[in-house]
Amino acid sequence: MKKVFLSAALALAVAGSWAFYPNAAPAPTGYLMVVGSGRPGNESYVPEVITILPDGKQQVQRLTNVKIGTDRTSTDVAVALHHAEVLQVNALAAKGWRLVSVAQSTVGVGATTETVYMMERR
């Protein structure tokens, strides 16, 4: 009888201590944006990929390796920019973010083309 009581008490103590076991921090939820921005034709501008996190913080990746000033500048810049955007979206998808929508627009007088990728995590 003592063995049964001791086993039950030990099982109850283990179950009670499980409540105090540290839990992993929950993953951030909400929306995240990846914005690719380039200005073909402007030789002083460096295209960049901006990631806007759910808390509003921004991470900027400047594409300084893109050669500007060749005959195919606009095509080269666009391809390099889209390449960097896809790499960033794939890296975020590997971390649990899911692509919700993609929009492209031309903004401003200098005809800046921006691609916006909206991602979410639930």
Side-chain angles (χ1 to χ4, degrees):
M1 184 70 175
K2 289 183 180 181
K3 289 183 180 179
V4 173
F5 178 72
L6 182 60
S7 297
L10 184 60
L12 185 61
V14 168
S17 67
W18 192 266
F20 297 103
Y21 189 76
N23 295 329
T29 59
Y31 291 96
L32 174 143
M33 286 178 22
V34 176
V35 181
S37 180
R39 245 182 247 172
N42 185 349
E43 295 190 20
S44 65
Y45 184 75
V46 176
E48 56 192 18
V49 176
I50 302 168
T51 304
I52 303 171
L53 302 172
D55 62 0
K57 294 180 182 174
Q58 294 184 9
Q59 298 173 348
V60 179
Q61 176 189 1
R62 298 190 63 155
L63 305 177
T64 56
N65 60 340
V66 176
K67 304 292 186 228
I68 296 178
T70 64
D71 292 337
R72 295 179 36 140
T73 298
S74 60
T75 303
D76 291 345
V77 170
V79 169
L81 181 58
H82 291 314
H83 181 257
E85 291 166 355
V86 168
L87 289 177
Q88 181 66 10
V89 168
N90 286 341
L92 291 167
K95 293 179 181 177
W97 290 94
R98 185 175 67 91
L99 186 63
V100 176
S101 69
V102 179
Q104 192 171 37
S105 64
T106 304
V107 181
V109 179
T112 301
T113 301
E114 292 184 345
T115 306
V116 179
Y117 301 83
M118 181 72 71
M119 302 181 83
E120 75 173 338
R121 184 185 295 180
R122 293 183 184 183

